[in-house]
Amino acid sequence: MLINKKIYLILWVIIALTLSLLFFFDQFFIQILIIGLLCFITWTISPKWQPQLGREISKINTTCVAFGCLIYLAWIIRNSYTGFSIFLLNQVLFHMGEMLHVAFYKFNEIKWGSYLINHSFGYNLAISFSISEYFLESSLFNKNIYIFIFIGFLTTLLGHIFRIGAFISAKQSFHHQVQSKKASDHILITSGIYKISRHPSYFGFFIYSLGQQIIMINPISFIAYVPVLYKFFISRIYLEEHYLYQFFGYAYQEYSARTPVLIPFIEYFLRF
């Protein structure tokens, strides 16, 4: 467990180092050189530190240089594009949160894909569409409406709490993919954040995604996200609960009867 925690800590150290150097050297040309040098160092040295991971650890660590750059970008645009700057910070925290679970509890499965940056074509399309809407509408009207940004920020914060809380509560029993076969270490989790929601990671991602659109004041993306998210989670939860009933029988039936999903109205759709 210690080595896993060390790896995750080093990822944040790389982010902090990148950010610190960019703040210290504020000339653009020097910043480009710093970014290039950090990418080269992390790419070449990382496999020597963790040879069993090969180039995966190079990609993992170099991505943290990019995360440091995104945080720096969020800082310098914070006044002109407040909503988008918070959106960027949320994206870094979200993807680092996904890596947290694998680094701590499933180190043998760690890979660049553990960030879930390449989750799916649909996910990347949705992100691209929401960013495009933000900047298009920013050219037409002021999007720095702080009451919406604040509400959206609180919503995404709650989403982070539920999502990361699910990782910490379930530990090695949490999986990014629906499991059709019960692993030896797969147990029914009903404690921690699972006392509040029986699918806290799904609820967390649901409100996080909508909160991001509130932060950026994207009315079109917000409306479009709702049916897409419902379609995804209805099919996902239906399939997952099918296997959970097979794995744990009456124990899961009893647990699901007393513990809601928390995504509004989704219990109704799960009946069909």
Side-chain angles (χ1 to χ4, degrees):
M1 181 67 74
L2 182 59
I3 185 64
N4 303 2
K5 291 182 179 179
K6 281 185 177 179
I7 284 178
Y8 189 68
L9 176 62
I10 287 172
L11 299 183
W12 281 107
V13 169
I14 294 171
I15 292 174
L17 176 63
T18 304
L19 193 58
S20 299
L21 290 173
L22 291 177
F23 275 121
F24 188 78
F25 299 99
D26 58 359
Q27 295 85 3
F28 180 72
F29 179 72
I30 297 178
Q31 289 177 334
I32 295 298
L33 290 177
I34 288 170
I35 293 169
L37 182 61
L38 287 173
C39 288
F40 175 77
I41 292 173
T42 53
W43 186 267
T44 56
I45 292 179
S46 297
K48 298 177 182 178
W49 169 55
Q50 286 290 330
Q52 74 274 27
L53 296 176
R55 283 301 171 195
E56 285 300 313
I57 194 65
S58 293
K59 291 187 285 185
I60 289 168
N61 289 346
T62 304
T63 298
C64 285
V65 176
F67 285 162
C69 295
L70 288 179
I71 296 173
Y72 179 76
L73 175 63
W75 173 260
I76 63 178
I77 68 171
R78 68 191 186 282
N79 293 324
S80 300
Y81 301 102
T82 306
F84 186 68
S85 68
I86 298 175
F87 167 85
L88 290 178
L89 294 175
N90 266 328
Q91 286 298 109
V92 171
L93 183 57
F94 172 78
H95 292 297
M96 285 296 290
E98 299 303 305
M99 180 60 76
L100 176 147
H101 168 255
V102 182
F104 271 51
Y105 305 113
K106 293 182 180 293
F107 178 66
N108 61 321
E109 299 177 12
I110 197 169
K111 57 185 177 181
W112 181 80
S114 301
Y115 283 121
L116 289 194
I117 294 173
N118 60 337
H119 176 272
S120 65
F121 173 77
Y123 172 77
N124 293 325
L125 179 64
I127 293 294
S128 300
F129 182 85
S130 63
I131 292 173
S132 299
E133 180 187 354
Y134 177 84
F135 282 104
L136 178 62
E137 292 174 352
S138 291
S139 66
L140 301 175
F141 59 88
N142 175 33
K143 283 211 166 192
N144 286 354
I145 305 174
Y146 293 104
I147 183 62
F148 284 106
I149 293 173
F150 181 69
I151 292 171
F153 171 73
L154 292 181
T155 305
T156 57
L157 180 61
L158 186 62
H160 286 308
I161 291 171
F162 269 83
R163 183 89 179 162
I164 296 174
F167 301 155
I168 295 172
S169 296
K171 297 181 173 61
Q172 71 276 4
S173 291
F174 185 92
H175 298 272
H176 276 131
Q177 303 296 329
V178 175
Q179 301 298 295
S180 59
K181 295 182 179 179
K182 186 175 181 293
S184 59
D185 60 351
H186 194 175
I187 61 175
L188 178 61
I189 308 298
T190 60
S191 58
I193 201 77
Y194 284 84
K195 286 183 178 180
I196 304 172
S197 169
R198 69 179 187 268
H199 294 288
S201 66
Y202 296 158
F203 173 68
F205 183 75
F206 179 85
I207 61 172
Y208 164 81
S209 298
L210 295 180
Q212 284 282 69
Q213 303 316 308
I214 297 173
I215 285 173
M216 294 196 290
I217 313 177
N218 280 351
I220 298 174
S221 291
F222 183 91
I223 293 171
Y225 268 46
V226 171
V228 172
L229 288 169
Y230 267 99
K231 183 177 184 299
F232 174 76
F233 284 122
I234 288 169
S235 60
R236 177 93 172 199
I237 293 173
Y238 185 87
L239 179 63
E240 184 166 322
E241 295 205 331
H242 168 75
Y243 289 116
L244 287 170
Y245 279 117
Q246 288 187 356
F247 297 164
F248 303 108
Y250 179 74
Y252 188 77
Q253 183 179 5
E254 185 181 46
Y255 168 66
S256 62
R258 69 174 186 269
T259 311
V261 177
L262 287 185
I263 297 176
F265 310 114
I266 203 166
E267 306 274 1
Y268 173 81
F269 293 106
L270 290 174
R271 298 173 187 172
F272 300 97

